[in-house]
Amino acid sequence: MILEVKDGNFSYGKVRRGQEPAYLYKTPIHLQVNPGEILAILGPNGAGKTTLLKCIMGLLKWKNGETYLDGKPISTLASKNIWKSIGYVPQASKMPFAYTILDLVLMGRALFIRSHAQPSEKDKEEAIEALELVGIAHLAEKSCNMVSGGELQLALIARTLVSHPKILIMDEPESHLDIQKQQVILQTIKKLVREKNISCIINTHYANHAFYFGDKVLMVAKNKPVISGSVQELMNEANMKDYFNIDIKKITHQDDDKTYQMMVPTYFGESVS
């Protein structure tokens, strides 16, 4: 499934007659994500990244523009059909109730279960399969409030996968996690996108993560035009200075048949005497 946004922009509150809306983005949003592609949305705090995701999914209404799923305006589609196509993974936070990890994942089958019906054996098999896919099936009977933040984030990904989405949208899934859990989650996302041939949009604060998993990048910042393109095209020293107000060096390292790229802030550098 192809997801597109054409001429998208958003503003909070009502607009008085004769006044222009106070748009959140300096220029309209244009993006397209194809099956098997990952789009990384990159920007500082307060730039409107989470709001952008909500507009893309229809949780907030664009002031201008539209989101399209395979060429059809999302505003014309039934809510059930939208959520059968889009899987949303919010930032992990403590759950209000002590569901087991299995029960949490089974919630992702809600669209396929009749009202007042109990999950079937097939639903449970799907949930276990999703947990195995993200590597935490051994936690199925544990309380979701008794696992680590990284394990809970993987459970939320599994909850989304049981609905077999064609598009995966994730809000900073690697935030507040240690480096090992970040690596596990990013590897899992990349593997799922490639193997399942789904489209993926992911918000992130981490420029280096965009190098790792992104095919495309969209950069936003207050009072800056929205820019988008390939990771190699846009992830450069000038744009990082302009959008993050930080001086960095883009480092490329070749090791046998692999090329590694990273961005290193210049204040980490040391003078050689």
Side-chain angles (χ1 to χ4, degrees):
M1 176 169 282
I2 297 173
L3 183 147
E4 295 178 89
V5 173
K6 298 178 181 179
D7 298 312
N9 215 325
F10 178 78
S11 66
Y12 288 102
K14 294 183 178 180
V15 180
R16 293 181 180 178
R17 184 176 296 178
Q19 287 187 333
E20 280 292 315
Y23 289 118
L24 183 59
Y25 309 107
K26 187 174 181 180
T27 55
I29 305 292
H30 300 276
L31 63 86
Q32 178 174 317
V33 191
N34 301 312
E37 284 186 342
I38 300 174
L39 169 69
I41 298 176
L42 195 61
N45 288 329
K49 298 190 301 299
T50 296
T51 299
L52 176 53
L53 290 189
K54 291 180 178 179
C55 288
I56 290 171
M57 294 181 289
L59 296 176
L60 291 174
K61 186 177 180 181
W62 292 110
K63 184 66 68 174
N64 290 334
E66 180 65 279
T67 301
Y68 297 85
L69 298 179
D70 276 347
K72 298 176 182 177
I74 198 172
S75 58
T76 67
L77 301 177
S79 178
K80 186 174 183 179
N81 292 335
I82 293 170
W83 296 112
K84 278 189 174 181
S85 299
I86 295 177
Y88 177 46
V89 183
Q91 295 182 40
S93 59
K94 191 171 182 179
M95 294 292 163
F97 302 103
Y99 303 110
T100 66
I101 293 292
L102 180 59
D103 286 339
L104 179 66
V105 175
L106 278 169
M107 292 177 190
R109 294 291 299 169
L111 288 172
F112 304 90
I113 300 173
R114 296 190 310 274
S115 298
H116 309 298
Q118 294 293 318
S120 66
E121 285 304 312
K122 182 179 186 302
D123 294 319
K124 293 177 182 178
E125 289 171 6
E126 293 261 10
I128 292 295
E129 183 179 334
L131 286 170
E132 288 173 346
L133 197 59
V134 299
I136 56 169
H138 61 289
L139 299 175
E141 299 305 324
K142 274 201 123 180
S143 165
C144 62
N145 287 331
M146 298 296 290
V147 298
S148 70
E151 290 165 339
L152 179 58
Q153 190 70 69
L154 288 168
L156 291 173
I157 294 172
R159 183 181 68 176
T160 300
L161 294 177
V162 292
S163 65
H164 303 292
K166 299 179 179 69
I167 300 166
L168 189 60
I169 296 181
M170 316 182 76
D171 194 2
E172 298 180 10
E174 77 279 49
S175 289
H176 314 300
L177 304 179
D178 63 54
I179 191 169
Q180 191 270 341
K181 290 296 188 300
Q182 289 181 11
Q183 179 180 336
V184 169
I185 285 175
L186 295 179
Q187 285 177 328
T188 300
I189 294 167
K190 194 169 185 178
K191 178 182 177 184
L192 291 171
V193 169
R194 303 299 191 242
E195 290 183 356
K196 302 287 185 180
N197 198 36
I198 60 179
S199 310
C200 180
I201 300 176
I202 180 170
N203 273 351
T204 182
H205 286 297
Y206 301 101
N208 283 322
H209 290 175
F211 276 131
Y212 173 72
F213 61 73
D215 300 298
K216 299 175 178 177
V217 64
L218 183 145
M219 297 180 72
V220 294
K222 287 182 178 180
N223 302 315
K224 300 288 182 184
V226 178
I227 57 175
S228 61
S230 71
V231 168
Q232 292 300 325
E233 176 190 1
L234 293 188
M235 299 294 293
N236 56 52
E237 297 169 1
N239 283 338
M240 293 303 294
K241 173 66 175 177
D242 199 23
Y243 282 74
F244 286 87
N245 194 29
I246 185 172
D247 292 309
I248 61 98
K249 287 293 182 184
K250 185 175 178 180
I251 308 297
T252 301
H253 173 70
Q254 192 73 35
D255 184 11
D256 296 329
D257 60 339
K258 292 185 178 180
T259 300
Y260 300 91
Q261 289 188 315
M262 65 191 75
M263 289 189 164
V264 181
T266 57
Y267 59 75
F268 285 135
E270 295 184 2
S271 299
V272 178
S273 56

